[in-house]
Amino acid sequence: MPRFGERADRSTLLAFIDSCLRGVGQILFANNPVSGLLILCGIFAASAWLGVATLVGVVASTATAHLLRLDRSRIRAGLYGYNGALVGGALATFLLPAWSPSLLLYAVVASAMSTLVMVAVSLVLVDQLHLPPLTLPFNLVTLPCLLVSFTTTHLHHSPMLVRHVEGPINTALREGASGVAGSQVGALLEAVLRGVGQIVFADVPLAGVLILLGLLVWSRIGALFALVGSVVGLIVGMLLGGDGHDAYHGLWGYNAMVAAEALAGVFLVWDWKTALYGVVGAAAATGLYAGLAALFGPLGLPALTLPFCLATLVFLALQHASPVFRAVPLPKVTSPEEHLPLRR
């Protein structure tokens, strides 16, 4: 929505709100304020506390970019907001107590730090390797912040940050620790939608629907491959015999979802080869999720989006050595449809 962005620039407040909404949208590569608003609605549909913490994160990280007088075009595109939004959402998900002033302050500081890390990571990945930073700053900030909760009294980790030990695996799709979800078809559909929502820690099917609608506003190809990626992640997880409770709640799908989206049209020009490449990349991200979940489990930490980052960066690096794929120059990344003329 370039024209809306130009009109928003006439008001400092409206421009800031527009930047923050684009920051939320950029979690899924959507540089569109309406997409960001729908994604934010999906987050609030899952939890009001999660929504507020995400807002706090994107506002803090975007404001920090303004205070540091970073590149204005990147700020307006939301590129300094999406990591902060994820940091806020992660801390609200994995730390207690909810709605506490100390946790909100912690989220503000950590989200602001994500902007500094974004600058540092971009100096290497963007300037030297011509690769996108993705959500690496979010991971680099959030994982240490979660570890702090194991050594403090004012911040407590939620039951989700339990040090997991090896045990029997139940592969049946199920909502809780015991029991099976309704019908198998219904369980599969919910797992796919939850996989879409889990990228923003929204573990409800409605969030997945709203996020997909937000992506449709930005790009039909992007929305399609977000859905395809979540399906691929679920299928690979089930073929590997992964835990059915995790599969039902979308934990096998969210890394695959953004990997498929990134490779099939966002950073590589869309065609049948990149479509297939996106599916393969989604499967690879799912395999990495399994490995990193096993690695971090004994520490009581989640894998977050590290599987997506590592798999996608490796797959994107191939563009420098192979003529099979046509890369989209990073300053020109918009939507898969707008990249199609680059195929010529």
Side-chain angles (χ1 to χ4, degrees):
M1 298 177 63
R3 293 181 181 176
F4 178 81
E6 291 172 2
R7 287 196 294 269
D9 284 334
R10 299 169 189 167
S11 165
T12 302
L13 178 60
L14 187 57
F16 185 79
I17 293 172
D18 181 61
S19 300
C20 289
L21 288 176
R22 290 176 189 271
V24 175
Q26 285 281 12
I27 295 172
L28 292 114
F29 315 110
N31 180 10
N32 185 297
V34 177
S35 298
L37 182 60
L38 285 168
I39 293 169
L40 193 60
C41 288
I43 297 171
F44 272 97
S47 163
W49 166 233
L50 177 63
V52 168
T54 301
L55 272 177
V56 166
V58 72
V59 167
S61 56
T62 304
T64 300
H66 276 290
L67 290 173
L68 295 175
R69 297 183 181 179
L70 299 179
D71 184 82
R72 189 175 184 279
S73 64
R74 293 174 61 82
I75 295 174
R76 291 292 287 112
L79 294 176
Y80 289 112
Y82 70 95
N83 281 290
L86 286 171
V87 169
L91 297 185
T93 300
F94 296 112
L95 298 183
L96 297 172
W99 300 105
S100 71
S102 59
L103 184 49
L104 279 174
L105 179 61
Y106 194 46
V108 168
V109 174
S111 299
M113 182 60 66
S114 75
T115 299
L116 306 184
V117 176
M118 178 68 164
V119 172
V121 170
S122 296
L123 287 174
V124 177
L125 287 179
V126 177
D127 296 348
Q128 301 299 321
L129 301 177
H130 307 291
L131 293 172
L134 304 176
T135 54
L136 269 179
F138 154 63
N139 290 277
L140 293 174
V141 170
T142 302
L143 289 172
C145 286
L146 296 181
L147 282 172
V148 167
S149 68
F150 290 98
T151 59
T152 60
T153 57
H154 295 303
L155 292 172
H156 309 282
H157 56 84
S158 78
M160 285 182 281
L161 295 186
V162 176
R163 291 181 169 89
H164 297 286
V165 295
E166 187 177 352
I169 296 175
N170 183 347
T171 60
L173 288 177
R174 61 198 192 282
E175 183 173 4
S178 61
V180 180
S183 69
Q184 188 70 4
V185 174
L188 288 169
L189 179 59
E190 283 204 30
V192 170
L193 292 175
R194 289 174 189 269
V196 174
Q198 281 286 10
I199 190 61
V200 288
F201 310 102
D203 185 18
V204 294
L206 177 58
V209 172
L210 289 170
I211 289 170
L212 288 173
L213 287 175
L215 290 177
L216 277 172
V217 171
W218 163 68
S219 164
R220 295 184 298 276
I221 295 174
L224 172 64
F225 276 89
L227 187 61
V228 167
S230 184
V231 170
V232 169
L234 177 61
I235 290 173
V236 172
M238 294 177 70
L239 289 175
L240 291 174
D243 183 82
H245 174 265
D246 291 350
Y248 177 81
H249 286 279
L251 297 181
W252 286 90
Y254 70 96
N255 278 287
M257 177 194 71
V258 277
E261 197 184 349
L263 296 170
V266 175
F267 298 109
L268 299 176
V269 179
W270 189 89
D271 57 21
W272 70 268
K273 291 175 290 187
T274 54
L276 180 60
Y277 201 51
V279 171
V280 175
T286 307
L288 270 175
Y289 168 78
L292 289 176
L295 177 65
F296 290 166
L299 300 175
L301 291 175
L304 299 178
T305 60
L306 268 179
F308 150 65
C309 291
L310 296 178
T312 303
L313 287 173
V314 168
F315 275 65
L316 286 177
L318 183 64
Q319 65 181 280
H320 299 305
S322 171
V324 173
F325 306 108
R326 184 177 293 274
V328 180
L330 293 182
K332 296 184 178 180
V333 169
T334 52
S335 69
E337 285 82 359
E338 292 187 25
H339 301 156
L340 291 179
L342 295 176
R343 290 188 298 186
R344 300 168 188 158

